[in-house]
C-alpha cells in the first residue's frame, strides 16, 4: 500500500511562507518519488488564548491555497470547524480534515463527506482508537468515498499528551488509511503561558514508532523558522529536517 505523507505550516502566515514550503515539498517529492500533500489552516479556531493568531480567514486562505496548487501542482489539505465551510473548501482542496476536538460532530462529518473529497478525521484526545469506528461510519454513511483516521495522542490534563500506539492497529481494523500526526502528538497543550508548548526533538521517533505499529500515513507540521512561527512553533519540525524524516519512513 502506498504511504501517505502530509506536510505544511500550521497556519497561513503569508504567501511567502506558503511558497517557501511548497517549493521544498516539490523538491522532496521529486527526489524521493513521493507525493507529499500540502497542508495548512486558514483559521485556527481552537487556539488556547483569544489573543493568539488565528490566520487569514477562509476567503483569502482558499485563494492562497488555490495559488499553491496552480503554481506547484501539489495536492491540498485543510481543516474546517463549521459545517457551512465544507462546500467552499471542497471546491479547492483534495482532503478535508476534521479537527480532533470536533470528530464527533455529526453535521460537520456529514457536510465534509458530501463534498466528495477525502475526509481525514483526527482522533479526539478523549477517545480510544476503537471509538473512531463511529465517526468513520458517520462519514461513510453520508457518502464519503475515502475516509482516513489520524492518531494524535490522548490528553489526561496536566499540559501533556500520551500516545498509545496500539490505537494504530485498532484504527486499521476500521479504516484502510491510518495517519500518525507526528507533530501534534508532541504538543504540551497550554504549557507555554496561554500557548501550546511542545518537544519537536521527538518527532522523528514518533514517526518511526508509528511505522512499527503499521501506520501508512504521516502528518508533519513544518516551518522554515519554527521558533518564530505564529502557531504551534514548539512542536513543528524544521523544514530542513523533513526530507530526512520522510526518507527514514520509506
Amino acid at each position: 500500500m502506498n504511504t501517505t505523507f502530509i506536510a505544511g505550516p500550521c497556519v497561513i502566515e503569508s504567501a511567502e511562507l506558503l511558497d517557501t514550503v511548497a517549493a521544498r515539498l516539490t523538491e522532496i517529492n521529486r527526489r524521493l518519488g513521493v507525493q507529499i500533500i500540502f497542508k495548512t489552516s486558514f483559521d485556527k479556531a481552537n487556539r488556547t488564548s483569544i489573543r493568539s493568531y488565528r490566520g487569514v480567514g477562509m476567503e483569502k486562505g482558499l485563494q492562497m491555497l488555490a495559488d499553491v496548487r496552480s503554481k506547484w501542482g501539489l495536492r491540498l489539505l485543510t481543516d474546517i470547524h463549521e459545517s457551512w465551510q465544507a462546500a467552499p473548501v471542497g471546491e479547492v482542496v483534495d482532503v478535508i480534515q476534521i479537527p480532533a476536538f470536533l470528530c464527533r460532530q455529526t453535521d460537520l462529518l456529514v457536510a465534509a463527506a458530501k463534498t466528495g473529497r477525502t475526509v481525514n478525521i483526527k482522533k479526539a484526545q478523549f477517545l480510544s482508537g476503537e471509538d473512531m469506528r463511529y465517526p468513520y461510519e458517520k462519514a461513510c454513511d453520508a457518502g464519503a468515498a475515502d475516509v482516513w483516521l489520524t492518531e494524535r495522542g490522548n490528553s489526561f490534563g496536566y499540559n501533556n499528551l500520551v500516545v498509545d500506539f496500539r490505537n494504530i492497529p485498532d484504527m486499521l481494523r476500521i479504516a484502510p488509511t491510518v495517519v500518525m500526526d507526528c507533530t501534534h502528538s508532541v504538543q504540551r497543550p497550554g504549557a507555554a503561558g496561554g500557548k501550546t508548548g511542545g518537544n519537536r526533538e521527538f518527532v522523528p521517533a514518533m514517526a518511526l514508532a508509528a511505522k512499527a505499529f503499521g501506520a501508512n500515513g504521516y502528518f508533519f507540521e513544518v516551518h522554515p523558522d519554527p521558533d518564530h512561527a505564529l502557531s504551534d512553533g514548539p512542536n513543528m519540525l524544521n523544514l530542513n529536517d523533513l526530507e530526512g524524516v520522510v526518507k527514514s519512513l520509506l
Side-chain angles (χ1 to χ4, degrees):
M1 183 177 293
N2 292 333
T3 303
T4 298
F5 291 101
I6 303 161
C10 176
V11 65
I12 297 174
E13 299 177 16
S14 66
E16 291 75 21
L17 172 64
L18 300 191
D19 234 21
T20 297
V21 175
R24 183 61 59 87
L25 297 190
T26 302
E27 291 174 7
I28 296 171
N29 285 343
R30 178 177 52 80
R31 281 199 290 263
L32 300 185
V34 295
Q35 291 189 9
I36 303 173
I37 299 168
F38 182 95
K39 71 80 47 187
T40 193
S41 297
F42 55 80
D43 179 22
K44 301 299 291 186
N46 54 359
R47 293 301 304 274
T48 302
S49 170
I50 190 67
R51 291 177 292 277
S52 296
Y53 176 75
R54 286 181 54 165
V56 298
M58 188 179 74
E59 184 176 355
K60 184 176 181 180
L62 290 180
Q63 182 57 59
M64 294 170 79
L65 281 166
D67 290 344
V68 168
R69 179 197 296 282
S70 176
K71 182 172 182 179
W72 300 102
L74 294 166
R75 296 173 67 201
L76 304 173
L77 175 151
T78 198
D79 46 338
I80 61 173
H81 291 83
E82 299 183 56
S83 55
W84 65 267
Q85 296 174 333
V89 168
E91 293 178 3
V92 176
V93 307
D94 303 274
V95 184
I96 296 178
Q97 184 165 277
I98 307 299
F101 285 129
L102 301 178
C103 76
R104 292 178 62 173
Q105 297 296 108
T106 302
D107 291 345
L108 192 64
L109 291 164
V110 169
K114 286 183 175 179
T115 66
R117 299 300 189 180
T118 296
V119 181
N120 182 35
I121 311 173
K122 286 198 170 184
K123 181 181 72 62
Q125 296 90 329
F126 49 84
L127 292 180
S128 71
E130 292 177 339
D131 287 330
M132 290 302 291
R133 177 175 306 279
Y134 306 105
Y136 179 83
E137 288 176 349
K138 288 179 182 180
C140 290
D141 287 352
D146 194 16
V147 182
W148 305 344
L149 298 178
T150 293
E151 167 62 35
R152 53 100 71 240
N154 284 79
S155 176
F156 300 91
Y158 308 107
N159 307 119
N160 211 345
L161 291 167
V162 176
V163 177
D164 182 347
F165 287 96
R166 295 173 297 181
N167 284 326
I168 293 172
D170 284 346
M171 290 194 291
L172 280 168
R173 285 188 278 272
I174 301 166
T177 300
V178 172
V179 179
M180 180 67 202
D181 184 338
C182 304
T183 45
H184 285 101
S185 59
V186 300
Q187 282 182 332
R188 292 187 178 270
K195 297 185 293 184
T196 289
N199 298 100
R200 75 174 69 98
E201 66 270 24
F202 298 130
V203 169
M206 280 288 184
L208 289 171
K211 181 180 180 181
F213 276 84
N216 50 23
Y218 303 91
F219 177 108
F220 303 97
E221 288 195 331
V222 297
H223 196 284
D225 185 10
D227 287 335
H228 294 94
L230 299 181
S231 177
D232 272 3
N235 54 269
M236 273 201 282
L237 190 67
N238 191 296
L239 182 60
N240 289 332
D241 296 330
L242 178 63
E243 183 170 356
V245 175
V246 170
K247 191 179 296 185
S248 74
L249 299 168
L250 296 176

